[in-house]
Amino acid sequence: MFSILNVSQMQRLEEQANKGGLSYEKMMHQAGIGLADMVAERYHNCPVKEVLGLVGSGNNGGDTLVALTRLMDLGWKAKAYIVKERSAADSELNVFQKRGGEVFTHKNDERLVELRKLIRDAYILLDGVLGTGFKRPLRGRIAEVLMAVTQIEDLPHIIAVDCPSGVDCDSGEVADECIPAEWTITMAAVKQGLLRFPAFKYVGEISVVKIGLPSKLPTWHEINVFMVDDVFVKHNLPARPLNAHKGTFGTAMIVAGSINFVGAAYLAGKAAYRIGAGLVKMAVPGSIFDTIAGQLPEATWIILPETLGVINNDAVKVVREDMNKVTALLLGPGWGQEEETLEFFETLLFSRDKFTQVPAIGFVVKKAKKLVKNRNNLPPLVIDADALKLLTRIPDWYLYLENSTVLTPHPGEMAVLTGLDIASIQADRIEIARTYANKWKKIVVLKGALTVIANPQGEAVVIPCATPALARAGTGDVLAGMIAGLIAQGMSSYKASIVAAWLHARAGKEAERRIGYSASVLASDVLDSIPIVLEKFKYKRQAF
């Protein structure tokens, strides 16, 4: 995982490193070399090894010039187009020219004819004009140059150096002239604005280059928000030993479904199996058993008492009797919000003391019911969908659930849980998730574009993916089943939530690729893409 920080934190890290002996010049050199090596590795088989760098006056321009020089050493033909003047004594520019690099400048290209020709000839365009210090609006010649680039048809592969020029790396705001990148290679850490909208629409894939910053710098210790990458996911996937049996991979029980929401149970149950759970127990209302049992013959089935197609309180006894060896329990997909189901939910989770004598003034005695923590030793919980809304009808619910409980709200459900409006939640998703994970002492998976997972200790991670392919009913049931399936295999609830969310997002992108159009992707397509995503881990790194 990579740290996510704001511009001020990045500046402090560089200042601390410089005072510690790692000069700004050395950091720039490390950044440029790392940038070039990433580009050369990815595009080593490209048909035309020609790269053009758009160079500004700041550190991004310096990183770009170092990268261009390095690429020339690796056999590329490199050209630099100076968009904002650099000092005549600039060492990076002088070295680039001495090595044979061609330099062009906007001053000698009033109508930007040369710029358009250079871009047409290039296979890769490095955007190194503006960096983390940018604030809107963009004016003058830089705005004119960048706008001209955006209007060119058939642009080469565009790689942003640290950030796309025109992105505010704190707020995520974007200038009209910003050049959309297909790949942003950012330095040392991910700037928080890159993972906010509208900026995220311009950054493409995000990679991080190490620039040698020591791990002991004080500012590192105040950072507790991270971006998940495939390396973290691969290292945390449960092992699959050759001598395993189904008990090795645990048992997930999924209490799901109602007469109106049959598919939710199927999607969650199959997802738990696809992610590797050894056994999945499906606890469903009897009225939907015949509809879905044949679609998931691998599961064992628990028929729950119901009232008009929804789970009722008599189901508590049945669920408890089948809890043996269950290592994860998913509650909520497809339940509905009827009073009968609320009573079942509350009774399953909590015990209530019998009426107890409560002394009052004089000889009056009151009788009261006191809610106490559940005493039934439930396995780790994942609470999803309708169960999240039902929670709000249980006073102080968060005081009585284990801290390992995972809550998986989308923004609408988060609004119900918190009392906030959706716009406020979406305006600062990371901070909202962290605040309520801490308040509730639970793991919060705030779903949606750029899903956020937060734990009670104040740490949060962001999944760097946004796709309308996942904006479809049922995809949340798939994610909940995946989380439960990983917890069943022995993963901690927090890591299981992170890994499942990353794989789920990747499966959404894979389904979009296979189907061909995001609007046509169904939740079942995402489900069917899980094995494809997992299979790719055997061979190479994955990126969004």
Side-chain angles (χ1 to χ4, degrees):
M1 291 198 287
F2 297 106
S3 298
I4 299 173
L5 41 68
N6 59 38
V7 173
S8 175
Q9 288 170 324
M10 188 67 228
Q11 291 170 343
R12 291 204 304 273
L13 283 171
E14 290 175 338
E15 289 171 5
Q16 291 162 8
N18 183 57
K19 289 178 181 177
L22 180 65
S23 68
Y24 287 106
E25 183 179 4
K26 288 179 181 177
M27 286 184 259
M28 182 178 294
H29 183 77
Q30 295 261 41
I33 294 297
L35 166 65
D37 288 349
M38 278 190 172
V39 171
E41 180 181 3
R42 175 165 296 190
Y43 294 103
H44 67 280
N45 284 328
C46 69
V48 179
K49 290 189 175 182
E50 184 157 337
V51 57
L52 172 67
L54 300 182
V55 179
S57 60
N59 290 340
N60 278 45
D63 297 344
T64 303
L65 288 166
V66 173
L68 291 172
T69 303
R70 171 70 168 178
L71 286 169
M72 283 195 298
D73 292 341
L74 296 174
W76 288 67
K77 184 176 181 181
K79 300 175 183 177
Y81 189 93
I82 308 299
V83 179
K84 191 173 182 182
E85 283 67 40
R86 299 182 67 83
S87 165
D90 180 60
S91 61
E92 289 79 23
L93 183 58
N94 291 333
V95 170
F96 174 69
Q97 289 179 299
K98 287 178 180 178
R99 297 281 186 86
E102 296 183 70
V103 177
F104 304 83
T105 176
H106 74 93
K107 282 187 171 182
N108 301 323
D109 188 24
E110 184 176 350
R111 296 179 179 271
L112 303 179
V113 174
E114 190 70 51
L115 172 65
R116 295 182 179 90
K117 179 180 182 302
L118 290 169
I119 289 175
R120 283 195 300 270
D121 292 341
Y123 189 81
I124 290 172
L125 177 65
L126 296 181
D127 169 15
V129 180
L130 298 171
T132 57
F134 168 77
K135 299 292 180 184
R136 293 193 310 165
L138 194 57
R139 297 187 177 93
R141 186 61 166 171
I142 293 179
E144 184 182 345
V145 171
L146 294 183
M147 182 59 78
V149 175
T150 65
Q151 294 173 347
I152 296 173
E153 296 183 3
D154 300 322
L155 285 166
H157 296 284
I158 297 175
I159 300 169
V161 179
D162 208 18
C163 63
S165 295
V167 163
D168 185 316
C169 287
D170 273 336
S171 70
E173 295 177 335
V174 177
D176 293 338
E177 302 85 357
C178 183
I179 305 171
E182 63 182 68
W183 188 13
T184 294
I185 300 178
T186 192
M187 308 308 165
V190 181
K191 286 62 182 183
Q192 66 181 26
L194 301 180
L195 294 174
R196 294 183 175 183
F197 283 95
F200 192 71
K201 296 187 292 184
Y202 291 78
V203 301
E205 178 191 340
I206 299 175
S207 296
V208 178
V209 166
K210 293 181 180 180
I211 63 172
L213 298 180
S215 60
K216 294 182 179 180
L217 296 178
T219 298
W220 282 129
H221 302 304
E222 68 184 56
I223 296 167
N224 53 11
V225 184
F226 305 91
M227 186 187 82
V228 187
D229 68 338
D230 60 326
V231 175
F232 175 88
V233 173
K234 183 175 182 178
H235 288 170
N236 284 281
L237 282 173
R240 307 292 293 184
L242 294 178
N243 61 345
H245 52 82
K246 67 176 182 286
T248 305
F249 305 119
T251 298
M253 178 184 281
I254 295 175
V255 184
S258 64
I259 194 67
N260 292 322
F261 304 105
V262 177
Y266 164 78
L267 292 167
K270 191 168 184 179
Y273 260 137
R274 285 296 194 197
I275 205 66
L279 176 65
V280 177
K281 292 184 175 184
M282 298 294 298
V284 301
S287 59
I288 72 171
F289 168 75
D290 289 340
T291 304
I292 66 172
Q295 300 179 59
L296 194 57
E298 299 88 353
T300 62
W301 295 88
I302 303 163
I303 309 303
L304 299 180
E306 61 176 88
T307 301
L308 298 177
V310 300
I311 301 167
N312 66 28
N313 197 45
D314 293 335
V316 172
K317 184 173 182 287
V318 178
V319 170
R320 286 177 176 165
E321 287 175 347
D322 277 286
M323 202 70 72
N324 185 40
K325 295 185 179 180
V326 170
T327 49
L329 178 60
L330 169 58
L331 304 172
W335 276 9
Q337 298 175 57
E338 282 72 18
E339 196 67 31
E340 292 86 350
T341 306
L342 172 61
E343 188 178 0
F344 156 78
F345 187 33
E346 192 169 1
T347 305
L348 179 66
L349 291 180
F350 309 117
S351 300
R352 284 188 182 275
D353 285 344
K354 295 181 179 179
F355 282 105
T356 55
Q357 303 295 321
V358 180
I361 298 174
F363 296 99
V364 179
V365 175
K366 291 184 178 181
K367 289 184 177 182
K369 269 187 176 181
K370 181 184 178 184
L371 187 66
V372 299
K373 190 174 180 180
N374 168 62
R375 305 185 188 281
N376 298 306
N377 296 318
L378 293 175
L381 295 175
V382 180
I383 299 179
D384 181 51
D386 290 317
L388 293 168
K389 295 179 179 179
L390 292 176
L391 275 180
T392 65
R393 288 150 67 179
I394 303 172
D396 297 327
W397 56 268
Y398 53 89
L399 299 178
Y400 307 103
L401 292 171
E402 295 291 338
N403 290 2
S404 62
T405 299
V406 179
L407 310 175
T408 60
H410 57 55
E413 292 160 345
M414 194 67 172
V416 174
L417 284 166
T418 63
L420 301 173
D421 60 81
I422 293 176
S424 298
I425 291 167
Q426 294 293 77
D428 198 352
R429 289 168 53 84
I430 294 173
E431 194 55 37
I432 291 295
R434 291 177 65 212
T435 296
Y436 283 92
N438 179 261
K439 176 183 177 179
W440 296 331
K441 304 304 178 189
K442 306 293 174 282
I443 294 156
V444 173
V445 180
L446 181 54
K447 297 183 293 192
L450 303 172
T451 290
V452 180
I453 304 97
N455 68 15
Q457 291 73 43
E459 184 177 293
V461 301
V462 180
I463 307 299
C465 178
T467 171
L470 292 172
R472 183 60 58 88
T475 58
D477 303 316
V478 174
L479 174 58
M482 294 171 72
I483 295 171
L486 288 173
I487 294 172
Q489 295 173 69
M491 288 188 72
S492 73
S493 296
Y494 184 49
K495 283 189 176 180
S497 299
I498 295 169
V499 170
W502 194 97
L503 292 170
H504 179 261
R506 182 64 258 177
K509 297 288 284 186
E510 177 63 28
E512 182 179 2
R513 186 195 65 78
R514 290 191 302 115
I515 300 300
Y517 186 48
S518 64
S520 299
V521 173
L522 303 178
S524 56
D525 298 318
V526 178
L527 180 60
D528 292 339
S529 296
I530 295 171
I532 300 172
V533 173
L534 290 171
E535 189 265 347
K536 288 181 179 179
F537 272 107
K538 296 191 302 185
Y539 302 111
K540 60 182 179 181
R541 293 192 59 185
Q542 299 184 73
F544 287 103

